[in-house]
Amino acid sequence: MQEVYGLITGGAGYIGSHVVKLLGESGYKTVTYDNLSTGNKDSVLYGEFVEGDLADLETLDGVFKKYKIGYVIHFAASIIVPESVEDPMKYYQNNTQNSANLINMCIKHNVNNFIFSSTAATYGLGDGNPDGVDEKCLPLPINPYGRSKLMTEWMLEDVANITPDFNYIALRYFNVSGADLDGKIGQMSEKSTLLINVALQTALGNREQLEIFGTDYDTPDGTCIRDYIHVVDLAQAHLDALKYLEKNPQSHILNCGYGRGASVKEVVKAVKELLKIDFKAVESPRRAGDPPVLISKAEKIGEVIGWKPKHDNLTKIIESAYNWQKAKN
Ligand code: UDP
């Protein structure tokens, strides 16, 4: 019998590479498909690797022909909110159009299990519930990044509605951070715009200062609140989702977060305390496209796929990211 592979688009990227590692350690065969625009081939620790773009239908089709693909986990995307505001069509091309290409290929090759890397940015401002936003909240994204991802969720929903065997799980990530606990992989980008990375790079002297974007939000300390989740826990959510789809022909949209938030100032303080380094953090104007508060309601994912986070601790998240950054410095 031909061996079954998982196709992991964007598997050379930050989250994708952690999932490829976990799948490899768990005995799954994978083919990573990545155009290396932001990913790094060295981060793909397991399985096969094909350099390719989701806009290149010939190469993509070739992968489906060469390997018996049993499921797809789709990470490949552009992910920077402010960039999406400046260059929306890049996001509709890379995220929406390329997802359409991939879904078409799944239909063509009869691949029926699809896990999609979605985002809390689909919620936009959320429903204002201080306990967090749940999956029933009407998604109203406030930036092109969130819209481009929501459109992909809609495509998956519509395809699942008319394709009896096709099932998907869209995982709506909150703020993913941290690094592999073995120290083998982590966030590679020197140009990362993500708060914890920027804070660590500033603490390590790679950046002169950190800007706190907006101190006049309607939050206790005036800065934005986010639900930071450890990338190792997030990787496990993908494996749990895959095991679920292997047994249950049902589609779901699931939040991936811990259900509690930290403000920008709290994150900066936590980094300074952990590292015992006092770096420069200056108050700056708001950044375009930022919702004031984004916290997950976190129950559904546990109920549906049995996900149990093990690293729900901001300091642990920062520490793992720091160990990785330090090793690279
Ligand atoms: N942020 C900041 N300074 C930075 C990077 C981010 O103040 O250098 C803020 C950002 O405005 C947002 C929060 O930190 O309120 C989290 O931003 P990040 O880019 O990490 O993730 P996002 O929530 O945009 O996905």
Side-chain angles (χ1 to χ4, degrees):
M1 209 176 76
Q2 209 183 344
E3 265 186 310
V4 174
Y5 284 79
L7 177 65
I8 318 296
T9 75
Y14 169 47
I15 301 168
S17 62
H18 285 81
V19 172
V20 167
K21 177 172 182 262
L22 181 62
L23 289 170
E25 287 168 349
S26 308
Y28 284 82
K29 301 253 170 225
T30 55
V31 188
T32 288
Y33 189 84
D34 197 302
N35 67 8
L36 299 182
S37 59
T38 54
N40 187 308
K41 201 178 161 198
D42 294 338
S43 302
V44 183
L45 301 180
Y46 287 87
E48 309 295 316
F49 177 82
V50 176
E51 184 171 345
D53 196 291
L54 289 171
D56 174 358
L57 297 180
E58 208 180 308
T59 305
L60 185 60
D61 198 32
V63 171
F64 279 84
K65 283 181 177 144
K66 179 168 177 191
Y67 299 95
K68 182 172 167 45
I69 303 296
Y71 61 94
V72 167
I73 308 184
H74 177 34
F75 296 100
S78 297
I79 57 160
I80 300 171
V81 170
E83 184 191 52
S84 81
V85 177
E86 295 298 318
D87 189 0
M89 288 316 293
K90 175 175 174 181
Y91 282 69
Y92 293 119
Q93 173 62 47
N94 288 350
N95 297 358
T96 313
Q97 179 59 52
N98 283 350
S99 294
N101 293 346
L102 180 63
I103 296 167
N104 271 328
M105 215 51 89
C106 288
I107 295 168
K108 177 176 169 190
H109 292 277
N110 209 19
V111 174
N112 287 316
N113 286 346
F114 197 112
I115 296 170
F116 176 51
S117 151
S118 191
T119 168
T122 53
Y123 290 116
L125 299 173
D127 53 10
N129 183 345
D131 294 340
V133 58
D134 80 20
E135 293 86 347
K136 289 195 222 75
C137 173
L138 185 68
L140 285 173
I142 58 168
N143 51 56
Y145 169 62
R147 289 168 190 253
S148 69
K149 288 278 186 174
L150 181 60
M151 287 158 88
T152 302
E153 286 191 8
W154 285 340
M155 289 191 280
L156 290 167
E157 185 184 344
D158 292 339
V159 169
N161 279 339
I162 46 104
T163 315
D165 291 335
F166 184 89
N167 294 290
Y168 73 92
I169 290 185
L171 296 173
R172 288 184 176 161
Y173 309 159
F174 282 68
N175 285 62
V176 188
S177 200
D180 170 45
L181 300 178
D182 300 339
K184 289 185 178 157
I185 45 176
Q187 172 76 260
M188 294 297 282
S189 172
E190 294 304 316
K191 288 181 274 173
S192 173
T193 58
L194 298 178
L195 178 63
I196 291 178
N197 294 334
V198 173
L200 289 171
Q201 288 175 3
T202 314
L204 289 168
N206 299 351
R207 299 187 193 220
E208 207 177 297
Q209 61 179 39
L210 173 143
E211 286 183 82
I212 297 176
F213 296 131
T215 51
D216 58 349
Y217 287 100
D218 186 14
T219 58
D221 69 14
T223 65
C224 289
I225 296 176
R226 295 288 182 274
D227 185 341
Y228 294 91
I229 165 177
H230 202 302
V231 69
V232 171
D233 276 337
L234 185 70
Q236 183 64 46
H238 294 75
L239 182 55
D240 294 343
L242 177 59
K243 287 183 174 164
Y244 175 91
L245 282 179
E246 284 170 348
K247 290 206 191 86
N248 305 278
Q250 273 177 46
S251 297
H252 294 281
I253 293 172
L254 303 172
N255 284 349
C256 285
Y258 293 141
R260 51 110 194 96
S263 73
V264 175
K265 282 189 175 168
E266 284 169 344
V267 170
V268 170
K269 185 164 171 269
V271 173
K272 287 183 176 179
E273 279 176 7
L274 177 74
L275 273 59
K276 300 190 176 55
I277 298 173
D278 190 16
F279 55 87
K280 197 167 161 196
V282 296
E283 300 196 353
S284 297
R286 292 181 177 196
R287 193 177 72 173
D290 271 343
V293 180
L294 211 44
I295 298 174
S296 163
K297 239 189 167 308
E299 287 80 17
K300 186 176 170 192
I301 184 166
E303 287 160 15
V304 176
I305 64 171
W307 179 65
K308 289 193 192 74
K310 294 198 186 106
H311 308 285
D312 176 1
N313 178 300
L314 183 62
T315 304
K316 266 172 80 175
I317 294 174
I318 295 169
E319 194 172 22
S320 69
Y322 174 63
N323 289 339
W324 165 250
Q325 283 281 346
K326 207 173 43 176
K328 278 199 311 157
N329 249 33

